[in-house]
Structures are given as structure tokens and as C-alpha cells.
Amino acid sequence: MVDGPQRRVSMADVAAEAGVSGQTVSRVANGSPRVDPATRARVEATMERLGYRMHRAARALRTGRTDTIGLIVSTLASVGNSRMLQALADAAAAQGFALTVVTATGRGAVADGFARLRDQGIDGAVILNEATALARGIDVPEGLALVVVDAPPDDLVAAPRFVTVQTDHVAGARAATEHLLPLGHATVHHLAGPVDSFAAAERERGWRDALEAAGRPVPDLVRGDWTAASGHAAVAGFGDEVTALFAANDQMALGALRALSDRGRRVPDDVAVVGFDDVADAADYRPPLTTIRQDFDALGAAAIDALVARLAGAAVAPVVLVPELIRRASA
């Protein structure tokens, strides 16, 4: 015999089980501070035990909030963006928010993305945005709490349109370059990211700053598009003058390692290689990749924390997280 659908646990069920009024359960469910801490703990434990779930649509009608955050991203094909999506989703869920994702490229597409998200009643949005010009030029809808990941701070100081959260890419690139120089290399070559990427531009700046500060020549860079294939193509023609390479992300470093191997150049004996990101597989590259670790989980949590603070009407300063050099066998 097949059981029929189970009845949804109601607020009244929770109230009866916890020995409190329905109004108290409502206050707990809606995050009201007007509940005694011990009572709140009892009600929350009862909700968990009974499997109570707030009906999102009904709550939205009462509170004007959907507990839904929008994410606008140009692409999920890159490893970094995919990793950030996971970090943002985990951080949002931990604070009781659902996440709705819209992919968009260009200002018009971002405006369309905002419209689509507003139609779904989002409370706020995160832009995972690689294009500096796009972050500065967006027209933010009135009253929308917004956080932009990896972009320069909003230049409207009096009334900033959005909060920025980013890794200190300059510091990370400087650390990568400064790690390579003492190993006996005359200079460090750079495999850069796309020309319209804020993160790529900042990593290039850190590399250049480190070389200039050390009084070393700054060689012409080669550029990829974050993919391993582009890294392979970019460095396939490197000559013997290249003995140290800083790649702007681990995927391009992976392609570079294969290209160097194809030319019979050993890593790190002939060419030392450092990447950026510390993706999950970096320790399993051949050889294991020395890289700059950016903490995607902390970055996602910081973005959601900033957005929640904006939703509460608080002023939030830009957030910058410092990455860490991870030494392995490639340099």
C-alpha cells in the first residue's frame, strides 16, 4: 500500500509541541528579537524535530522579503567562477537564503539580469564580475542591496551603489614573483588573464611592481583566457630564455606545464612555474603546483555577510582578503 502525501507541519503544530503561542513561533520564524533566548532555542529545536519549514511565499507576503539572493555571473565555465558559485551558495544557505543564478555578459545583459531577478522578488544581489568597466558602469536598480565580487570600490563615495569584496590580487601576484626571483632567475615571465578582467589586471600589476622594485627587466607578457588550452597555446613557443613563469590562474598553469613538457623543458629544473587560485587539483598536477591560494569559501562568506548587512541598512566598507603562497614542487 502506498502512503498518501504527508501533511505539512504547520506553525500551530510547532506552537502546540513547544508550549508557546502561534505568535511566538511566528516571531522566531521571522527572526524577531522580541523572543526570550531560551524560548527561541526551544522553538527552534521543535521546528527541527518536527521538520517544520517556513512557506517562503507566505512569509514574503507578511514580511516583504523572499529570503532569495540573486547572482549575476558572466560565465560558469571558468573554475574560479564555479568555485565561487559553490562558496556563495553555501554561505547563503547557512544564513537562510536561497540563490538564483543569472548568466549575463555586457551592460545590456546585466540590466536584463536585474530585471529578471527583480521579477522574482529577490532581496539583494551579488555580481561575480570580471569586467572592471562593467562594474563601474552598471545602473543599480533603486533600493537594491548589491555586492560586487572582484571589482574596484564604487567611486560614488557619498552614496556608493554597491559594496565590493575581493582578494588582494596585487599582493598575491607580488608574492608569486618574489618567490621566484631568489631562485636564481634573471626575471619572471607572466601568463596573464583576459584584458577586460579586473583580477587579471591586478595580478599583472603585482607581477610588474615586484619586478620593478627588484630592478629586474619586465618582459612582454603573453595572454590567455583562463583555460588550460589557452595556457598551452600561449607558452608553446617559449624559448630557453624563459626560466620562471607566473601564470594568472591554475588552469592556464596546467596548460603551460603540458606545453613545456612537449618542448622537453623540465619543471622546475628548466622552468619554475607558479599559478594562482589553488584549485582542488593543483596538488595533483605533475609536478604539484606552487600557487597563490585565494580562500573562495571566505570570499563567498564575506560577500553574503556584506549583502545581509546592506539589507539591514548598515554601511559596509570594502572587503579585501589576503591570499597565501602555497609551496609545492613546481617552483
Side-chain angles (χ1 to χ4, degrees):
M1 178 177 178
V2 179
D3 293 335
Q6 291 187 334
R7 183 177 68 84
R8 185 187 184 97
V9 176
S10 70
M11 199 172 287
D13 295 330
V14 175
E17 181 72 14
V20 298
S21 69
Q23 186 178 41
T24 297
V25 176
S26 177
R27 285 174 177 165
V28 171
N30 289 293
S32 170
R34 297 168 56 196
V35 181
D36 174 75
T39 301
R40 180 186 302 279
R42 186 167 77 254
V43 171
E44 288 176 344
T46 303
M47 288 176 169
E48 181 69 23
R49 187 170 64 255
L50 296 181
Y52 173 78
R53 295 292 180 269
M54 170 64 77
H55 192 285
R56 197 173 292 273
R59 179 174 181 176
L61 287 173
R62 289 195 303 273
T63 66
R65 294 269 296 273
T66 63
D67 289 344
T68 301
I69 292 171
L71 172 64
I72 298 179
V73 59
S74 59
T75 177
L76 291 173
S78 70
V79 174
N81 279 2
S82 296
R83 185 66 186 83
M84 272 303 303
L85 171 60
Q86 184 64 58
L88 288 164
D90 290 345
Q95 299 212 37
F97 288 90
L99 193 66
T100 297
V101 180
V102 171
T103 55
T105 55
R107 286 188 180 86
V110 168
D112 291 343
F114 276 138
R116 289 165 58 189
L117 290 172
R118 291 303 291 267
D119 287 345
Q120 298 180 50
I122 61 165
D123 298 325
V126 175
I127 294 184
L128 196 56
N129 178 25
E130 294 184 20
T132 299
L134 183 59
R136 287 186 176 277
I138 54 178
D139 184 16
V140 180
E142 184 71 25
L144 178 69
L146 182 64
V147 172
V148 179
V149 178
D150 274 351
D154 189 14
D155 49 11
L156 298 180
V157 178
R161 297 162 296 171
F162 50 82
V163 178
T164 56
V165 175
Q166 62 168 288
T167 294
D168 191 338
H169 303 286
V170 172
R174 187 183 297 118
T177 308
E178 291 174 347
H179 170 71
L180 288 165
L181 287 176
L183 301 180
H185 306 287
T187 190
V188 176
H189 286 70
H190 183 39
L191 173 51
V195 69
D196 60 352
S197 166
F198 170 76
E202 292 289 274
R203 293 171 195 180
E204 177 187 339
R205 181 158 69 93
W207 161 76
R208 193 178 301 276
D209 287 351
L211 290 180
E212 291 175 348
R216 305 297 181 89
V218 181
D220 292 337
L221 57 78
V222 292
R223 197 174 294 280
D225 64 5
W226 298 131
T227 65
S230 74
H232 182 278
V235 306
F238 272 1
D240 291 346
E241 77 281 1
V242 178
T243 64
L245 175 66
F246 165 49
N249 80 335
D250 290 349
Q251 290 299 107
M252 292 194 298
L254 174 61
L257 290 174
R258 184 168 72 87
L260 292 168
S261 177
D262 290 346
R263 292 178 59 86
R265 306 204 69 196
R266 298 166 300 165
V267 177
D269 303 74
D270 301 322
V271 184
V273 178
V274 176
F276 201 113
D277 283 339
D278 194 27
V279 298
D281 297 331
D284 293 315
Y285 287 5
R286 183 176 294 180
L289 185 65
T290 295
T291 186
I292 301 297
R293 174 183 292 165
Q294 58 171 334
D295 191 334
F296 290 109
D297 291 332
L299 202 61
I304 297 302
D305 285 345
L307 188 60
V308 171
R310 290 279 283 193
L311 288 170
V316 184
V319 178
V320 181
L321 303 180
V322 179
E324 175 188 5
L325 174 68
I326 304 299
R327 293 176 172 85
R328 297 194 181 101
S330 68

